Amino acid sequence: MNLKELSSYLGLSQTTVSRALNGFPEVSEKTRQRVIEAAKAHGYMPSQSARGLATGRVGAIGHIIPLGKHQMINPHFSDFMAGVGIAYADFGVDIVMKICAQDQELATYRKMVKSNRVDGFVLQGPLVDDPRMDLLQTMGVPFVVHGRSAGATQPYNFLDVDNEGAFERATQFLIDFGHRDIALLNGLETMDFAHKRRKGFLTVLQGAGIPVRPELMFSQDMSEVYGYEVATNILALPNPPSAMLCASKLVALGVMRAIADAGLVAGKHVSVVTFDDDFGFLGTHAAVPQITCLRSSLYRAGTRVAHMMMAAVDDPLGISTEIWEPELVVGKSTGMKL
Amino acid sequence: MNLKELSSYLGLSQTTVSRALNGFPEVSEKTRQRVIEAAKAHGYMPSQSARGLATGRVGAIGHIIPLGKHQMINPHFSDFMAGVGIAYADFGVDIVMKICAQDQELATYRKMVKSNRVDGFVLQGPLVDDPRMDLLQTMGVPFVVHGRSAGATQPYNFLDVDNEGAFERATQFLIDFGHRDIALLNGLETMDFAHKRRKGFLTVLQGAGIPVRPELMFSQDMSEVYGYEVATNILALPNPPSAMLCASKLVALGVMRAIADAGLVAGKHVSVVTFDDDFGFLGTHAAVPQITCLRSSLYRAGTRVAHMMMAAVDDPLGISTEIWEPELVVGKSTGMKL
DNA sequence: TTGTAGGCGTTATCAA
DNA sequence: TTGATAACGCCTACAA
């Protein structure tokens, strides 16, 4: 059933039916009701291709996932996407997801724009210097960044957590407990978020006059194994750290395992603080409810970004930015330095 | 740049340019080259909306993810999607991903079909009795199932692993080691794969004349915590199992943790076998390389399903089915019953 | 308040 | 081998 059939069935013009369905004010309420009912009864839905062609809006937002950056195979990503997807549903918008080889990323953006596949993009995992913003800005396509990019030259829409401030607070929190030898198990520092966390960490250390120990600073893809191996190694140092600051709960889980394996107790012999993106499938809440963390919901970030995206499509010129402050949740993994 | 502009630039008709670009044989090689070069130079890409309207093919496959079934927030899902996505790229096809509330699932399929959003669907996580197949079959939409559904009435395209056979082998493997008290930590048995695994498990137990102990059989959403808690409980039984069969590496990780916490050694005091979907982000290979497992790659399954999907779109009547046999990889988590 | 007619960018049919 | 021309299904001035 298409518009033509539906309207001839109703004895109305396509125009009137279209207007009735799209909520135009000039249609009489009586006609509108009749149209809406008939549409529902016959299961009429406008063809997205036709509508896209006519309006220039295709009702889809692009999410491009370069494989090999571990974005896809990664719970942080999934949780965020769930939030985005649920919010899009309210707008009748779809996710067009494109998974591509890493070196095809920019080309993929270009193709999707040229072929008019989407009305805009959500960018995830921004780097310190990220070429995507420039590309999309010169192409004139609306986009929203989850995170920020320190190297950006023009204003752009973004939603970020205050990574720098969060790690300042966490570091200060540990210092207040008397810790001076603090390890940093950061994410990859080409990523903007990790760059900012490192910055926050160093700012507070230096402010407190604590010498930086580069051998306690790590920057890697976040995984359980990474946490386990690094923690195992540094706990075996002649002068081991008394506290560890982790970039992800995944990493912290590995750290906790290493601490246990070393016969130590977290919160007593070693303090652990982690950034907690608060995701569900590992059941980490139940497993290790006790880790002190900076918490921010990726799911909620996703829904918010989706709303910002819709606004950006409606008004390509307006810029909106948001920075969220993570909550510091004190658990049992932190305590006074022995 | 659109077709009209490109063709007038070339001094050719739109028809000829379109034909040249789409590989029609009647175009002279010389013209074709000229067209292809100009198209590349100007970055021309056909509008998908227009093409979709003209051909009826929109170049997109639907993946509908009901939230709350833990599909999205789940590494099994991600790994499979990565494979699918990479394979689609070769066909110039996109994933249209729709995340919806659980009770909206069937309605969402209907809407996407009616609005002509996609050329077909990939179905994941089929239940023993799954209404989706019937729906899509009556709507006449091509689809491929990753997995199977025992309750299906009509033939359909699917790719599955031999879950029943795999668990038969695993169970026999443990029995051969002298184990008789074997726990089953299965996935949710409304899911077809879990149903089949249970069946395989029971078949072999009964064939060997080993009494079934229902208090050692569990069926839940697969997570680390599930494995940990169940294993902790059953190891404390007066008559604990000497072996455990897990539905997922996530579950097995929890089991291993519980075994360690109980001061036992896997492969010595307790044998553990797991289904291993072989995903990467947890770095489980490095962390626990030793668990005996039935292994099958979700990523490869994804690429295969994508190819089957493309074939199904080209020939909506042809049915193709595939069943893969997982590999039994013997690790150190299994040994003779003490 | 409703209808007519043209256009969105392709592909497909038919003729040259 | 190429080119007019008519769809594809919808939206939207403009007219009534």
Side-chain angles (χ1 to χ4, degrees), chain A residues 87-267:
Chain A
Y88 282 161
D90 296 339
F91 296 95
V93 161
D94 298 332
I95 295 169
V96 172
M97 193 162 100
K98 197 99 191 176
I99 295 164
C100 67
Q102 215 162 334
D103 58 347
Q104 293 296 312
E105 189 175 4
L106 292 183
T108 303
Y109 278 98
R110 268 194 220 93
K111 271 187 213 163
M112 287 189 71
V113 172
K114 297 267 188 187
S115 59
N116 230 295
R117 260 289 186 207
V118 295
D119 299 322
F121 291 96
V122 167
L123 270 53
Q124 297 177 61
L127 308 176
V128 176
D129 282 299
D130 200 308
R132 292 177 292 174
M133 278 91 134
D134 265 351
L135 174 66
L136 292 176
Q137 261 159 349
T138 61
M139 299 189 82
V141 186
F143 64 94
V144 177
V145 180
H146 180 219
R148 264 175 292 177
S149 175
T153 53
Q154 311 249 355
Y156 57 93
N157 302 293
F158 70 81
L159 166 64
D160 198 5
V161 292
D162 179 12
N163 284 296
E164 187 172 349
F167 268 48
E168 285 176 4
R169 274 191 294 153
T171 308
Q172 189 60 55
F173 179 79
L174 290 168
I175 290 176
D176 290 346
F177 269 143
H179 297 283
R180 295 178 58 87
D181 297 287
I182 307 174
L184 174 68
L185 281 72
N186 207 354
L188 273 181
E189 288 169 1
T190 47
M191 308 285 281
D192 187 85
F193 81 90
H195 175 77
K196 287 195 165 59
R197 289 179 187 180
R198 176 198 174 97
K199 210 169 143 198
F201 173 70
L202 291 177
T203 302
V204 170
L205 276 194
Q206 282 157 6
I210 297 177
V212 174
R213 294 179 58 189
E215 78 274 20
L216 295 184
M217 294 173 61
F218 303 87
S219 163
Q220 283 187 36
D221 240 357
M222 305 178 288
S223 72
E224 206 264 354
V225 183
Y226 163 40
Y228 180 78
E229 291 181 348
V230 164
T232 301
N233 291 340
I234 60 182
L235 285 174
L237 288 176
N239 182 14
S242 68
M244 305 192 197
L245 198 43
C246 306
S248 153
K249 200 144 188 178
L250 238 37
V251 176
L253 284 174
V255 167
M256 297 298 275
R257 187 157 65 91
I259 290 173
D261 280 9
L264 303 173
V265 175

Side-chain angles (χ1 to χ4, degrees), chain B residues 175-252:
Chain B
I175 290 175
D176 291 346
F177 268 144
H179 299 283
R180 294 177 60 86
D181 296 287
I182 306 174
L184 174 67
L185 281 70
N186 206 355
L188 272 181
E189 288 170 1
T190 48
M191 308 284 282
D192 187 84
F193 80 91
H195 175 78
K196 288 193 164 58
R197 289 178 187 180
R198 176 197 174 97
K199 208 168 145 200
F201 173 71
L202 291 178
T203 302
V204 170
L205 276 194
Q206 283 156 4
I210 297 177
V212 175
R213 292 179 59 190
E215 77 275 20
L216 295 183
M217 295 174 61
F218 303 86
S219 164
Q220 282 186 36
D221 240 357
M222 303 178 287
S223 73
E224 206 263 355
V225 183
Y226 163 41
Y228 181 77
E229 291 181 348
V230 164
T232 301
N233 291 341
I234 59 182
L235 285 174
L237 288 176
N239 181 15
S242 67
M244 305 193 198
L245 197 44
C246 306
S248 155
K249 201 147 189 176
L250 239 38
V251 176

Side-chain angles (χ1 to χ4, degrees), chain B:
Chain B
M1 167 80 52
N2 59 25
L3 228 209
K4 193 190 233 169
E5 289 159 2
L6 180 62
S7 52
S8 81
Y9 165 83
L10 282 164
L12 289 169
S13 71
Q14 297 188 32
T15 314
T16 302
V17 175
S18 171
R19 282 197 279 232
L21 258 20
N22 289 304
F24 282 60
E26 64 262 35
V27 182
S28 84
E29 221 25 65
K30 200 177 120 197
T31 321
R32 190 192 305 281
Q33 286 314 321
R34 209 160 66 88
V35 170
I36 289 177
E37 256 169 50
K40 184 175 291 178
H42 294 266
Y44 167 75
M45 299 239 83
S47 148
Q48 279 299 334
S49 300
R51 174 179 269 185
L53 193 52
T55 62
R57 291 265 198 105
V58 296
I61 302 298
H63 289 244
I64 294 179
I65 318 296
L67 214 62
K69 284 197 182 162
H70 301 254
Q71 285 192 21
M72 179 71 201
I73 318 295
N74 159 325
H76 305 88
F77 170 79
S78 315
D79 208 25
F80 176 77
M81 286 301 282
V84 170
I86 285 290
Y88 282 160
D90 296 339
F91 297 94
V93 161
D94 298 331
I95 295 170
V96 172
M97 194 163 96
K98 197 101 193 175
I99 295 165
C100 66
Q102 215 162 334
D103 58 348
Q104 294 297 313
E105 189 174 3
L106 291 183
T108 303
Y109 276 99
R110 268 193 219 95
K111 272 188 211 163
M112 288 190 70
V113 172
K114 297 267 186 187
S115 59
N116 230 293
R117 260 285 186 213
V118 296
D119 299 323
F121 291 95
V122 167
L123 271 52
Q124 296 177 61
L127 308 176
V128 176
D129 280 299
D130 200 307
R132 294 177 292 174
M133 278 91 132
D134 265 351
L135 174 65
L136 292 175
Q137 261 160 348
T138 60
M139 299 189 82
V141 185
F143 65 94
V144 178
V145 181
H146 179 219
R148 264 173 293 176
S149 174
T153 53
Q154 312 249 355
Y156 57 92
N157 301 294
F158 71 82
L159 166 63
D160 198 5
V161 293
D162 180 12
N163 285 297
E164 186 171 350
F167 268 49
E168 284 176 5
R169 273 191 295 153
T171 308
Q172 190 60 55
F173 180 79
L174 289 169
I175 290 175
D176 291 346
F177 268 144
H179 299 283
R180 294 177 60 86
D181 296 287
I182 306 174
L184 174 67
L185 281 70
N186 206 355
L188 272 181
E189 288 170 1
T190 48
M191 308 284 282
D192 187 84
F193 80 91
H195 175 78
K196 288 193 164 58
R197 289 178 187 180
R198 176 197 174 97
K199 208 168 145 200
F201 173 71
L202 291 178
T203 302
V204 170
L205 276 194
Q206 283 156 4
I210 297 177
V212 175
R213 292 179 59 190
E215 77 275 20
L216 295 183
M217 295 174 61
F218 303 86
S219 164
Q220 282 186 36
D221 240 357
M222 303 178 287
S223 73
E224 206 263 355
V225 183
Y226 163 41
Y228 181 77
E229 291 181 348
V230 164
T232 301
N233 291 341
I234 59 182
L235 285 174
L237 288 176
N239 181 15
S242 67
M244 305 193 198
L245 197 44
C246 306
S248 155
K249 201 147 189 176
L250 239 38
V251 176
L253 284 174
V255 167
M256 297 298 274
R257 189 157 64 90
I259 290 173
D261 279 10
L264 303 173
V265 175
K268 193 174 160 198
H269 307 98
V270 189
S271 285
V272 178
V273 178
T274 185
F275 201 97
D276 176 10
D277 292 293
D278 198 13
F279 42 79
F281 81 94
L282 266 181
T284 47
H285 279 302
V288 211
Q290 317 286 34
I291 307 182
T292 296
C293 61
L294 298 149
R295 179 174 290 168
S296 189
S297 163
L298 277 172
Y299 180 90
R300 286 201 305 118
T303 62
R304 185 71 193 114
V305 164
H307 282 86
M308 292 170 74
M309 186 70 244
M310 295 297 95
V313 171
D314 281 339
D315 173 15
L317 297 179
I319 294 289
S320 77
T321 66
E322 254 175 60
I323 298 177
W324 287 6
E325 208 58 54
E327 183 189 3
L328 177 58
V329 183
V330 179
K332 295 198 175 156
S333 66
T334 40
M336 289 299 289
K337 178 169 172 7
L338 286 187

